[in-house]
Amino acid sequence: MASVSGTELEADTGAWASVPWTPVTDRDDCNTIIGWRKANIPYLPAGTALSLQTLDVWIPASTTVAAPDASILPCPPNGSAGKWIIYIHGGAWRDPAIDASSFSAAATKLLHFQHTSTNTPITTNNNRKSTGCIAGLASLNYRLSPHPSHPSDDPSRQATHPEHISDVLSALSFLQQHLFHPNNNNNNMDDMILAGHSCGATLAFQAVMAPSRWGLPSPPSPPRLFTRSRVRAIVGLNGLYDLAGVVHSDSTSTPAWLREAYAEFTRGAFGDDEDVWRAVCPATAQGWVPEWLRGNQEGEDGAAGDAGGDDGDGQQPEAKAAEKVVVLVQSRQDSLVPYDQLEKLRGYLLAAAGQGGRLRVEELHAGGEHDDIWREGGRMAEILWQVVAGL
Ligand SMILES: N[C@@H](CC(=O)c1ccccc1NC=O)C(=O)O
C-alpha cells in the first residue's frame, strides 16, 4: 500500500486489505468472472470514517480465475495506462435509499465491455484501435443531509454543505494517493473520468472547482490532496446545475409538490441563502472553469506536491494539459429534472470554453425516467465506455 509522508495523511490501509475481493460474473454467463469488487472501503484514516464515508471499487479480471489477494492494488489491464471511472450517486443529497451500490448495474456492464474488448479490439470513434481502457471503477458514498420523511440518528446523515463535497474530495484523494500509486504503473496524469447522476453530477463539477470556494480549511482536515487536473472528463447524467432555477421554476409547468421538493432538499443541503445556492451550482458559480483547466495552484489545498507537477505550478499548464471533456446527458422523459438544467450548463460551458480554454462539450442521448439510467445501467455503461474509448 502506498504511503504518504506525514502520518496523519494515512488512510485506513488496514481496512483496504481486510475487505476481500469478491467475484463479479457476467450477467448472461454466471460462470465467467469479468471483474472483482470490494465494497464499503473507508476512505478516511483508521477509525474516523462514518458509515457513509466509504467507497466501492471494481477492477477488471485478469486471465486468472483465482481471487486476487485482498491487499493487492488495482493494476491497469495488460500493463497499459487505463482510465478510472468514478461515479457519484444522486438522491438530492438526502435519499438514504440511493448509495454507492447504485452503480452496480453499470459497473457490471462496463466490466463486460472490458472483458470482451480485451479479446476483440474495438475501433473508437476517432479510428483508433482500443483494447481494454478501464483501469478500475469506483463509486463513492458521502454524508447525506437529513430527510424529513426518513428521520435517523445516524451521524453520517446530518450533513450540510460543504460536508458532501468535502467527503467527495476526501474519497478522490484516497483513490489518487492509495490506488493510483506510481509503482502501480498508473500514474498518467489525466486518468480520471468523473460521472455523476442528479445531485452527484453537481458534486462532480464541484470537485474540479477550487475547494477554497467551500471555505474548507487549509491545510484541510481530513487531508485532501486531490489533483483536480487529473480529471480528464466529467459526465453529467440527469444533473442539477442551477438550484435557484428549479426552486423558482414556473408554477404552470412544474407541479407544486415538485417545487416544494426542490426547495426542501435545496434548503436542507445548502440552507436558506439563495446567494449560496448560486455560488455552489456549476451553471451559476462565477469563473470556475479555469480552476479545472489550470489545475491546482501551488500551496492550495495541500497541493505543494501536485504529483508529477504538470500543472501544479500554475505556470504553463495550458501547453501541456490534454483537452478536457464534458459530456452532458439528460433524458427528456425525466419527470424530476427539466431539460433546461442541461441547456443552462451547456451555455455556461460553451461561453467559458470560448475564452481560450481547452474544453470540449458534448451532448449524448438517453431516455427514460430520472433513475432509470442507473437502475438499468446499460445506457450509462455505453456512454461511459464511449467516453473512455474516445479520450
Ligand atoms: N428521491 C429524492 C428526490 C430526488 O432524488 C430528486 C428529486 C427531484 C430532483 C432531483 C432529485 N435527485 C437529485 O439528486 C428524495 O427522496 O428527496
Side-chain angles (χ1 to χ4, degrees):
M1 180 53 78
S3 88
V4 175
S5 57
T7 51
E8 74 283 6
L9 301 190
E10 204 54 66
D12 194 346
T13 53
W16 170 269
S18 71
V19 180
W21 289 106
T22 55
V24 180
T25 53
D26 206 325
R27 268 187 169 176
D28 306 324
D29 169 12
C30 59
N31 293 319
T32 304
I33 295 174
I34 56 175
W36 301 93
R37 177 186 189 177
K38 279 182 190 252
N40 299 316
I41 304 148
Y43 50 73
L44 293 182
T48 67
L50 297 172
S51 60
L52 289 177
Q53 291 172 314
T54 61
L55 51 79
D56 292 4
V57 170
W58 292 256
I59 54 172
S62 58
T63 44
T64 162
V65 290
D69 188 88
S71 63
I72 76 139
L73 294 169
C75 220
N78 311 325
S80 66
K83 303 285 180 201
W84 275 82
I85 298 173
I86 295 143
Y87 179 74
I88 309 173
H89 69 79
W93 292 275
R94 66 179 193 173
D95 190 341
I98 303 178
D99 66 10
S101 69
S102 63
F103 190 51
S104 298
T108 303
K109 197 81 193 180
L110 281 162
L111 292 171
H112 170 85
F113 290 155
Q114 174 79 44
H115 189 77
T116 317
S117 80
T118 306
N119 305 321
T120 326
I122 55 159
T123 305
T124 67
N125 52 6
N126 52 8
N127 259 338
R128 278 189 288 130
K129 287 264 186 263
S130 175
T131 54
C133 29
I134 293 173
L137 310 170
S139 180
L140 314 183
N141 282 307
Y142 50 90
R143 280 171 292 172
L144 300 179
S145 296
H147 197 310
S149 314
H150 306 277
S152 165
D153 293 334
D154 181 342
S156 65
R157 288 182 40 206
Q158 317 299 330
T160 51
H161 176 74
E163 290 167 329
H164 322 95
I165 181 61
S166 172
D167 284 356
V168 166
L169 293 172
S170 296
L172 294 172
S173 282
F174 172 87
L175 290 168
Q176 282 189 346
Q177 289 175 61
H178 295 281
L179 302 195
F180 303 3
H181 187 247
N183 294 345
N184 199 30
N185 201 15
N186 191 29
N187 62 337
N188 53 320
M189 290 306 295
D190 57 2
D191 46 6
M192 305 172 77
I193 289 102
L194 295 187
H197 174 255
S198 201
C199 74
T202 326
L203 286 160
F205 286 100
Q206 288 174 338
V208 296
M209 302 180 196
S212 54
R213 286 178 178 261
W214 327 123
L216 292 173
S218 185
S221 174
R224 242 171 262 105
L225 290 170
F226 170 53
T227 304
R228 59 181 178 270
S229 60
R230 287 176 70 168
V231 175
R232 179 73 194 281
I234 302 178
V235 182
L237 306 147
N238 297 343
L240 288 166
Y241 307 123
D242 173 12
L243 285 169
V246 289
V247 172
H248 298 302
S249 53
D250 187 349
S251 58
T252 57
S253 56
T254 311
W257 68 266
L258 185 54
R259 300 174 77 228
E260 279 155 30
Y262 291 147
E264 190 184 67
F265 71 64
T266 298
R267 291 179 197 281
F270 299 98
D272 296 335
D273 184 346
E274 299 199 13
D275 288 340
V276 173
W277 306 353
R278 294 195 174 83
V280 298
C281 284
T284 52
Q286 295 295 305
W288 62 266
V289 171
E291 292 168 3
W292 179 24
L293 300 182
R294 275 204 319 266
N296 299 30
Q297 299 297 300
E298 197 173 337
E300 187 205 332
D301 45 279
D306 194 4
D310 73 330
D311 61 351
D313 57 13
Q315 296 300 309
Q316 14 163 271
E318 246 95 351
K320 296 184 218 162
E323 179 188 51
K324 305 290 192 195
V325 179
V326 169
V327 177
L328 298 175
V329 182
Q330 173 64 56
S331 167
R332 295 204 185 257
Q333 289 100 48
D334 183 341
S335 65
L336 297 181
V337 175
Y339 207 88
D340 75 348
Q341 290 287 299
L342 176 150
E343 290 165 339
K344 284 178 183 173
L345 184 59
R346 187 187 55 203
Y348 180 104
L349 292 171
L350 291 177
Q355 293 157 15
R358 293 162 50 77
L359 178 67
R360 173 156 53 99
V361 182
E362 288 177 12
E363 198 173 327
L364 292 180
H365 174 78
E369 248 304 354
H370 185 64
D371 290 327
D372 288 353
I373 196 155
W374 59 261
R375 274 192 213 286
E376 185 267 327
R379 180 62 186 140
M380 198 209 287
E382 272 173 19
I383 289 167
L384 293 172
W385 183 253
Q386 190 178 328
V387 171
V388 173
L391 289 179

